Amino acid sequence: MIATYLFFGLALLAVLGSLGLILFRHPMNGAMSFVVTLIALAGLYALLSAKLIFAIQLIVYAGAIMSLILFIIMFLNIQEKDLPVDTGRWFYLAGGIVVLAPVAGLLLKIVQTLPEQQAAVPAAGFGEVREVGKVLFQQWLLPFEIVSILLLVALVGAVVLAGKRG
């Protein structure tokens, strides 16, 4: 019963953090909302008994990468006057809600038609380093390397953008 309450609490926290990421105008506030979302996701991974993913989520994403993103935002020293004028922001948000509402309704209808099943207990070794490493380096090596190159390009781009101001 406590796991159910934890799940709904963490899911609500993740959704609220995601909304803050979308709705806050200043990048620093958006980044802090993203940290809340990442920590809530780490909690959800812990509820799923995925110990390695929980630790990676906290150490790498919520810790290292978000520290780097916050450092870059502070390095760029973005002020309110530097942000673009955002006149149609709420219009686009309302349009997005109108477009996504039927999709959400369809997904809810699909979920309601699924047969009820009891939650399965994870198999031995689920979420441990050995099992994740086998899958990552046997089936997902190329996407893993592509993402690492993409992150490196984003970092170099941020440094180049920061260099143009100074």
Side-chain angles (χ1 to χ4, degrees):
M1 192 64 164
I2 273 194
T4 304
Y5 290 129
L6 277 174
F7 171 79
F8 284 115
L10 290 170
L12 179 68
L13 204 58
V15 169
L16 290 177
S18 302
L19 286 175
L21 179 62
I22 294 170
L23 296 176
F24 284 129
R25 185 168 152 73
H26 198 279
M28 184 62 79
N29 296 336
M32 294 309 293
S33 296
F34 192 44
V35 168
V36 169
T37 301
L38 291 176
I39 291 172
L41 287 178
L44 289 173
Y45 292 140
L47 282 177
L48 291 172
S49 302
K51 300 167 205 135
L52 177 66
I53 303 298
F54 164 73
I56 288 174
Q57 180 76 17
L58 278 182
I59 295 169
V60 176
Y61 293 107
I65 291 178
M66 284 311 299
S67 297
L68 181 66
I69 289 173
L70 291 174
F71 176 75
I72 290 170
I73 290 172
M74 288 188 289
F75 184 69
L76 292 174
N77 193 19
I78 298 172
Q79 304 295 321
E80 285 291 329
K81 63 180 169 99
D82 297 331
L83 298 174
V85 177
D86 210 4
T87 56
R89 179 176 184 199
W90 296 108
F91 175 74
Y92 290 125
L93 186 63
I97 290 171
V98 168
V99 169
L100 290 179
V103 174
L106 179 66
L107 288 175
L108 282 175
K109 201 160 197 104
I110 290 171
V111 167
Q112 289 172 349
T113 59
L114 292 175
E116 285 195 32
Q117 292 182 349
Q118 291 291 331
V121 176
F126 176 78
E128 292 183 359
V129 176
R130 177 181 297 238
E131 300 301 319
V132 174
K134 280 182 183 176
V135 172
L136 183 65
F137 291 112
Q138 290 176 352
Q139 298 173 7
W140 295 97
L141 182 60
L142 182 62
F144 178 77
E145 292 300 327
I146 289 172
V147 168
S148 66
I149 291 171
L150 181 67
L151 288 173
L152 180 64
V153 169
L155 179 64
V156 170
V159 170
V160 168
L161 287 176
K164 286 184 177 178
R165 289 182 103 197

